[in-house]
Amino acid sequence: MPKNIPWEQKEGWCGRFERGDSVAMMAREYRKDPRTVQRGIDDVRRHRATKDAREALLRESLRHHLEDLLVLVERVARSVVSPPTHLELRFPGVEIAPFLDIGPVRVDRHGDTFDVVTLEVEQEFTWGLLKEHLGRDRTFRLLARWKQAFSEALNAHLVFRDGLLTVLEDFGLRISDDLLQPGTVRPAAAEELVKAAVSQILLEDPPYELQLKQGENGEFLLNRGTGGRLLPDSEA
């Protein structure tokens, strides 16, 4: 049974062979069959080739991994923007959705407030890897602050809308699509009023356009649509 050759010996043969020593010379020196020496040299070379291939694959894998993380960071940066100035939230009569999809941002509502802001990228596997890489990096604290500001801005819209409802009620008006009754403002018209008011508050340039025209029998038109029906002058 052939004797196992120590790996260090095989590496020594390979090193000498690469420096110019012949297989026959080393076989005589070590009293080995030339084929044994050659197999030892071949074993070392195969091991090196396998190791080099693995390292090349690892480097390539790491390069792709880092590229994926950089792409994710860029997507996060593009997602962190100001909330839209005008929101289509709808007035009473139609239930506000339990969540809003605003581009790559999702905001969940619980009760009367929006309180959970989630980026689209946070649902991806790579997001967990990014958090592992960065650990408790300051970036995540800043992201949490942005989420809070984003939800607070949306909740400010809700508060403002409630305020508008109170003003309309003070004038004896209510939100309804039933225009047979005087003193009604259609939900779509209320939305237009909110947009115009927010535009004025934020000093938009140009401001949100609001066109009001009087119709027949107390009806009025707002931005090319029926806005509602006003109370008779004696009741206003």
Coordinates of all heavy atoms in Angstrom, one line a residue, residues 166-229:
T166 N -65.9 71.9 10.5 CA -66.5 72.7 11.5 C -67.0 74.0 11.0 O -68.1 74.5 11.3 CB -65.5 72.9 12.7 OG1 -65.1 71.7 13.2 CG2 -66.1 73.8 13.8
V167 N -66.2 74.6 10.1 CA -66.5 75.9 9.5 C -67.8 75.7 8.6 O -68.7 76.6 8.7 CB -65.4 76.4 8.6 CG1 -65.8 77.6 7.8 CG2 -64.2 76.8 9.5
L168 N -67.8 74.7 7.8 CA -69.0 74.5 7.0 C -70.3 74.3 7.9 O -71.3 74.8 7.5 CB -68.8 73.2 6.1 CG -67.7 73.4 5.0 CD1 -67.5 72.1 4.3 CD2 -68.1 74.5 4.0
E169 N -70.1 73.5 8.9 CA -71.3 73.3 9.8 C -71.7 74.6 10.5 O -72.9 74.8 10.7 CB -70.9 72.3 10.9 CG -70.7 70.9 10.4 CD -70.2 69.9 11.4 OE1 -69.9 70.4 12.6 OE2 -70.0 68.7 11.1
D170 N -70.8 75.5 10.7 CA -71.1 76.8 11.3 C -72.0 77.6 10.3 O -72.8 78.5 10.7 CB -69.9 77.6 11.7 CG -69.2 77.0 12.9 OD1 -69.8 76.2 13.6 OD2 -68.0 77.3 13.1
F171 N -71.8 77.4 9.0 CA -72.6 78.0 8.0 C -73.8 77.2 7.7 O -74.5 77.6 6.7 CB -71.7 78.3 6.8 CG -70.8 79.4 6.8 CD1 -69.5 79.2 7.2 CD2 -71.2 80.7 6.6 CE1 -68.6 80.3 7.3 CE2 -70.4 81.8 6.7 CZ -69.0 81.6 7.0
G172 N -74.1 76.2 8.4 CA -75.3 75.4 8.1 C -75.1 74.5 7.0 O -76.2 74.0 6.4
L173 N -73.9 74.1 6.6 CA -73.7 73.2 5.4 C -73.2 71.9 5.9 O -72.6 71.7 7.0 CB -72.6 73.8 4.5 CG -73.0 75.2 3.9 CD1 -71.8 75.8 3.2 CD2 -74.2 75.1 3.0
R174 N -73.5 70.8 5.1 CA -73.0 69.5 5.5 C -72.5 68.8 4.2 O -72.8 69.2 3.1 CB -74.1 68.7 6.0 CG -75.3 68.5 5.1 CD -76.5 67.8 5.8 NE -77.6 67.6 4.9 CZ -77.8 66.6 4.1 NH1 -76.9 65.6 4.2 NH2 -78.9 66.5 3.4
I175 N -71.6 67.8 4.4 CA -71.0 67.1 3.2 C -72.0 66.1 2.8 O -72.4 65.2 3.6 CB -69.7 66.5 3.6 CG1 -68.7 67.5 4.2 CG2 -69.0 65.8 2.4 CD1 -68.3 68.6 3.2
S176 N -72.4 66.1 1.5 CA -73.3 65.1 1.0 C -73.3 65.2 -0.5 O -73.1 66.3 -1.1 CB -74.7 65.3 1.5 OG -75.6 64.5 0.9
D177 N -73.6 64.1 -1.2 CA -73.8 64.1 -2.6 C -75.3 64.2 -3.0 O -75.7 64.3 -4.1 CB -73.3 62.7 -3.2 CG -71.8 62.8 -3.6 OD1 -71.4 63.8 -4.2 OD2 -71.1 61.8 -3.3
D178 N -76.1 64.3 -2.0 CA -77.6 64.5 -2.2 C -77.9 66.0 -2.4 O -78.0 66.8 -1.4 CB -78.4 64.0 -1.0 CG -79.9 64.1 -1.2 OD1 -80.3 64.5 -2.3 OD2 -80.6 63.8 -0.2
L179 N -78.0 66.4 -3.6 CA -78.2 67.9 -3.9 C -79.6 68.3 -3.9 O -80.0 69.4 -4.2 CB -77.5 68.2 -5.3 CG -76.0 67.9 -5.4 CD1 -75.5 68.4 -6.7 CD2 -75.3 68.6 -4.2
L180 N -80.5 67.3 -3.6 CA -81.9 67.7 -3.5 C -82.2 68.6 -2.2 O -83.2 69.3 -2.2 CB -82.8 66.5 -3.4 CG -82.8 65.6 -4.7 CD1 -83.6 64.3 -4.5 CD2 -83.2 66.4 -5.9
Q181 N -81.3 68.4 -1.2 CA -81.5 69.2 0.0 C -80.6 70.4 0.0 O -79.4 70.3 -0.4 CB -81.1 68.3 1.2 CG -82.0 67.1 1.4 CD -83.5 67.5 1.7 OE1 -83.7 68.5 2.4 NE2 -84.4 66.8 1.2
P182 N -81.1 71.6 0.3 CA -80.3 72.8 0.4 C -79.2 72.6 1.5 O -79.4 71.8 2.5 CB -81.3 73.9 0.7 CG -82.6 73.4 0.3 CD -82.5 71.9 0.6
G183 N -78.2 73.4 1.4 CA -77.2 73.3 2.5 C -76.2 72.1 2.4 O -75.8 71.6 3.4
T184 N -75.9 71.7 1.1 CA -75.0 70.6 1.0 C -73.8 71.0 0.1 O -73.9 71.8 -0.8 CB -75.7 69.4 0.2 OG1 -76.2 69.9 -1.0 CG2 -76.9 68.9 1.1
V185 N -72.7 70.4 0.5 CA -71.4 70.5 -0.3 C -71.0 69.1 -0.6 O -70.8 68.3 0.2 CB -70.4 71.3 0.6 CG1 -69.1 71.3 -0.2 CG2 -70.8 72.6 0.9
R186 N -70.7 68.9 -1.9 CA -70.3 67.6 -2.3 C -68.9 67.3 -1.8 O -68.0 68.2 -1.7 CB -70.3 67.5 -3.8 CG -71.7 67.6 -4.5 CD -71.6 67.4 -6.0 NE -71.2 66.0 -6.2 CZ -70.8 65.5 -7.4 NH1 -70.7 66.4 -8.4 NH2 -70.5 64.3 -7.6
P187 N -68.6 66.0 -1.5 CA -67.2 65.7 -1.0 C -66.1 66.1 -1.9 O -65.1 66.6 -1.5 CB -67.3 64.1 -0.9 CG -68.7 63.8 -0.7 CD -69.5 64.9 -1.5
A188 N -66.4 66.0 -3.3 CA -65.3 66.4 -4.2 C -65.1 67.9 -4.1 O -63.9 68.4 -4.3 CB -65.8 66.0 -5.7
A189 N -66.2 68.7 -3.9 CA -66.0 70.1 -3.8 C -65.3 70.5 -2.5 O -64.4 71.4 -2.4 CB -67.4 70.8 -3.8
A190 N -65.5 69.7 -1.4 CA -64.8 69.9 -0.2 C -63.3 69.7 -0.3 O -62.5 70.4 0.2 CB -65.4 69.0 0.9
E191 N -63.0 68.7 -1.1 CA -61.6 68.4 -1.4 C -61.0 69.6 -2.1 O -59.8 69.9 -1.8 CB -61.5 67.1 -2.3 CG -62.0 65.8 -1.7 CD -61.0 65.3 -0.7 OE1 -59.9 65.9 -0.5 OE2 -61.3 64.3 0.0
E192 N -61.7 70.2 -3.1 CA -61.2 71.3 -3.8 C -60.9 72.5 -2.8 O -59.9 73.2 -2.9 CB -62.1 71.7 -4.9 CG -62.3 70.7 -6.0 CD -61.0 70.5 -6.8 OE1 -60.5 71.5 -7.4 OE2 -60.4 69.4 -6.7
L193 N -61.8 72.7 -1.9 CA -61.7 73.8 -0.9 C -60.4 73.5 0.0 O -59.7 74.5 0.2 CB -62.9 73.9 0.0 CG -64.2 74.3 -0.7 CD1 -65.4 74.2 0.3 CD2 -64.1 75.8 -1.2
V194 N -60.2 72.3 0.4 CA -59.0 72.0 1.2 C -57.8 72.3 0.4 O -56.8 72.9 0.9 CB -59.0 70.5 1.6 CG1 -57.7 70.1 2.2 CG2 -60.1 70.3 2.6
K195 N -57.7 71.9 -0.9 CA -56.5 72.1 -1.7 C -56.2 73.6 -1.9 O -55.1 74.0 -1.8 CB -56.7 71.4 -3.1 CG -56.7 69.9 -3.0 CD -57.0 69.3 -4.4 CE -57.0 67.8 -4.3 NZ -57.3 67.2 -5.7
A196 N -57.3 74.3 -2.1 CA -57.1 75.8 -2.3 C -56.6 76.4 -1.0 O -55.7 77.3 -1.0 CB -58.4 76.4 -2.7
A197 N -57.2 76.0 0.2 CA -56.8 76.6 1.4 C -55.3 76.2 1.8 O -54.5 77.1 2.2 CB -57.7 76.1 2.5
V198 N -55.0 74.9 1.6 CA -53.6 74.5 1.8 C -52.6 75.3 0.9 O -51.5 75.7 1.3 CB -53.5 73.0 1.7 CG1 -52.0 72.6 1.7 CG2 -54.2 72.2 2.7
S199 N -53.0 75.4 -0.3 CA -52.2 76.2 -1.3 C -51.9 77.6 -0.8 O -50.8 78.1 -0.9 CB -52.8 76.2 -2.6 OG -52.1 76.9 -3.6
Q200 N -52.9 78.2 -0.2 CA -52.8 79.6 0.3 C -51.9 79.6 1.5 O -51.0 80.5 1.7 CB -54.1 80.2 0.6 CG -55.0 80.5 -0.6 CD -54.5 81.6 -1.4 OE1 -53.8 82.6 -0.9 NE2 -54.7 81.6 -2.7
I201 N -52.0 78.6 2.4 CA -51.2 78.6 3.6 C -49.8 78.4 3.3 O -48.9 79.0 3.9 CB -51.7 77.4 4.5 CG1 -53.2 77.8 5.0 CG2 -50.8 77.2 5.7 CD1 -53.8 76.6 5.8
L202 N -49.5 77.5 2.3 CA -48.1 77.2 1.9 C -47.5 78.2 0.9 O -46.4 78.0 0.5 CB -48.0 75.8 1.4 CG -48.4 74.7 2.3 CD1 -48.3 73.3 1.7 CD2 -47.6 74.7 3.6
L203 N -48.3 79.2 0.5 CA -47.9 80.2 -0.4 C -47.4 79.6 -1.7 O -46.3 79.9 -2.2 CB -46.8 81.1 0.2 CG -47.1 81.8 1.5 CD1 -45.9 82.6 2.0 CD2 -48.3 82.8 1.2
E204 N -48.2 78.6 -2.3 CA -47.8 78.0 -3.5 C -47.8 79.1 -4.6 O -48.6 80.0 -4.7 CB -48.8 76.9 -3.9 CG -48.5 75.6 -3.2 CD -49.3 74.5 -3.8 OE1 -50.5 74.6 -3.9 OE2 -48.7 73.4 -4.0
D205 N -46.9 78.9 -5.5 CA -46.8 79.8 -6.7 C -46.6 79.0 -8.0 O -45.6 78.4 -8.2 CB -45.6 80.8 -6.5 CG -45.6 81.8 -7.6 OD1 -46.6 82.0 -8.3 OD2 -44.5 82.4 -7.8
P206 N -47.7 78.9 -8.8 CA -49.0 79.6 -8.6 C -49.8 78.9 -7.6 O -49.7 77.7 -7.4 CB -49.5 79.5 -10.0 CG -49.0 78.3 -10.6 CD -47.6 78.2 -10.1
P207 N -50.8 79.6 -7.1 CA -51.7 79.0 -6.1 C -52.7 78.0 -6.8 O -52.9 78.1 -8.0 CB -52.4 80.1 -5.5 CG -52.4 81.2 -6.5 CD -51.1 81.0 -7.2
Y208 N -53.2 77.1 -6.0 CA -54.2 76.1 -6.5 C -55.4 76.9 -7.0 O -56.0 77.7 -6.3 CB -54.6 75.1 -5.5 CG -55.4 74.0 -6.0 CD1 -54.8 72.9 -6.6 CD2 -56.8 74.0 -5.9 CE1 -55.5 71.8 -7.1 CE2 -57.5 72.9 -6.4 CZ -56.9 71.9 -7.0 OH -57.7 70.8 -7.5
E209 N -55.8 76.7 -8.2 CA -56.9 77.5 -8.8 C -58.3 77.0 -8.3 O -58.5 75.8 -8.2 CB -56.9 77.3 -10.4 CG -57.9 78.2 -11.1 CD -57.8 78.0 -12.6 OE1 -57.0 77.2 -13.1 OE2 -58.5 78.8 -13.3
L210 N -59.1 78.0 -8.0 CA -60.4 77.7 -7.4 C -61.4 78.6 -8.2 O -61.4 79.8 -8.0 CB -60.5 78.0 -5.9 CG -61.7 77.4 -5.2 CD1 -61.6 75.9 -5.2 CD2 -61.7 77.9 -3.7
Q211 N -62.3 78.0 -9.0 CA -63.2 78.7 -9.8 C -64.6 78.4 -9.3 O -65.1 77.3 -9.3 CB -63.1 78.3 -11.3 CG -61.8 78.7 -11.9 CD -61.8 78.3 -13.4 OE1 -62.6 77.6 -13.9 NE2 -60.7 78.8 -14.1
L212 N -65.3 79.4 -8.9 CA -66.6 79.3 -8.3 C -67.7 80.0 -9.1 O -67.5 81.2 -9.5 CB -66.7 79.9 -6.8 CG -68.0 79.8 -6.1 CD1 -68.4 78.4 -5.9 CD2 -67.9 80.6 -4.8
K213 N -68.7 79.3 -9.5 CA -69.8 79.9 -10.3 C -71.1 79.6 -9.8 O -71.3 78.5 -9.2 CB -69.7 79.4 -11.8 CG -68.5 79.9 -12.5 CD -68.5 79.4 -14.0 CE -67.3 79.9 -14.7 NZ -67.3 79.4 -16.1
Q214 N -72.1 80.5 -9.9 CA -73.4 80.3 -9.4 C -74.3 79.6 -10.4 O -74.2 79.9 -11.6 CB -74.1 81.6 -9.0 CG -75.4 81.5 -8.3 CD -76.0 82.8 -7.9 OE1 -75.3 83.8 -8.0 NE2 -77.2 82.8 -7.4
G215 N -75.0 78.5 -10.0 CA -75.9 77.8 -10.9 C -77.3 78.2 -10.6 O -77.6 79.3 -10.1
E216 N -78.2 77.3 -10.9 CA -79.7 77.6 -10.7 C -80.1 76.9 -9.4 O -79.6 75.9 -9.0 CB -80.5 77.0 -11.9 CG -80.1 77.7 -13.2 CD -81.0 77.1 -14.4 OE1 -81.7 76.2 -14.1 OE2 -80.8 77.7 -15.5
N217 N -81.2 77.5 -8.9 CA -81.9 77.0 -7.7 C -80.9 76.7 -6.5 O -81.0 75.7 -5.8 CB -82.6 75.7 -8.0 CG -83.6 75.9 -9.1 OD1 -84.4 76.8 -9.1 ND2 -83.7 74.9 -10.0
G218 N -80.0 77.6 -6.4 CA -79.0 77.6 -5.2 C -77.8 76.7 -5.5 O -76.9 76.6 -4.7
E219 N -77.8 76.0 -6.6 CA -76.6 75.2 -6.9 C -75.4 76.1 -7.3 O -75.6 77.2 -7.8 CB -76.9 74.2 -8.1 CG -77.8 73.0 -7.7 CD -77.8 72.0 -8.8 OE1 -77.2 72.2 -9.8 OE2 -78.5 71.0 -8.6
F220 N -74.2 75.6 -7.0 CA -73.0 76.3 -7.4 C -72.0 75.3 -8.0 O -72.0 74.1 -7.7 CB -72.4 77.0 -6.2 CG -71.8 76.1 -5.1 CD1 -70.5 75.7 -5.1 CD2 -72.7 75.7 -4.1 CE1 -70.0 74.9 -4.1 CE2 -72.2 74.9 -3.1 CZ -70.9 74.5 -3.1
L221 N -71.2 75.8 -8.9 CA -70.2 75.0 -9.6 C -68.8 75.4 -9.0 O -68.5 76.6 -8.8 CB -70.2 75.3 -11.1 CG -71.6 75.1 -11.8 CD1 -71.5 75.4 -13.3 CD2 -72.0 73.6 -11.6
L222 N -68.0 74.4 -8.8 CA -66.7 74.6 -8.3 C -65.7 73.8 -9.1 O -65.8 72.6 -9.2 CB -66.6 74.1 -6.8 CG -65.3 74.5 -6.1 CD1 -65.3 76.0 -5.9 CD2 -65.3 73.9 -4.7
N223 N -64.8 74.6 -9.8 CA -63.8 74.0 -10.7 C -64.5 73.0 -11.7 O -64.1 71.8 -11.8 CB -62.7 73.3 -9.9 CG -61.8 74.2 -9.2 OD1 -62.0 75.5 -9.4 ND2 -60.8 73.7 -8.5
R224 N -65.4 73.5 -12.4 CA -66.1 72.8 -13.5 C -66.9 71.6 -13.1 O -67.3 70.7 -13.8 CB -65.0 72.3 -14.5 CG -64.3 73.5 -15.2 CD -63.2 73.0 -16.1 NE -62.2 72.4 -15.3 CZ -61.2 73.0 -14.6 NH1 -61.2 74.3 -14.6 NH2 -60.3 72.3 -14.0
G225 N -67.2 71.5 -11.8 CA -68.1 70.4 -11.3 C -69.1 71.0 -10.4 O -68.9 72.0 -9.8
T226 N -70.2 70.2 -10.2 CA -71.2 70.7 -9.3 C -70.7 70.7 -7.8 O -70.3 69.6 -7.3 CB -72.5 69.8 -9.4 OG1 -72.9 69.8 -10.7 CG2 -73.6 70.3 -8.5
G227 N -70.7 71.8 -7.2 CA -70.1 71.9 -5.8 C -71.1 71.6 -4.8 O -70.7 71.0 -3.7
G228 N -72.4 71.9 -5.0 CA -73.4 71.6 -3.9 C -74.5 72.6 -4.1 O -74.7 73.2 -5.2
R229 N -75.4 72.6 -3.1 CA -76.5 73.5 -3.1 C -76.6 74.3 -1.8 O -76.5 73.8 -0.7 CB -77.8 72.7 -3.2 CG -79.1 73.6 -3.4 CD -80.3 72.7 -3.4 NE -80.3 71.8 -4.5 CZ -80.8 72.1 -5.8 NH1 -81.2 73.3 -6.0 NH2 -80.8 71.2 -6.7

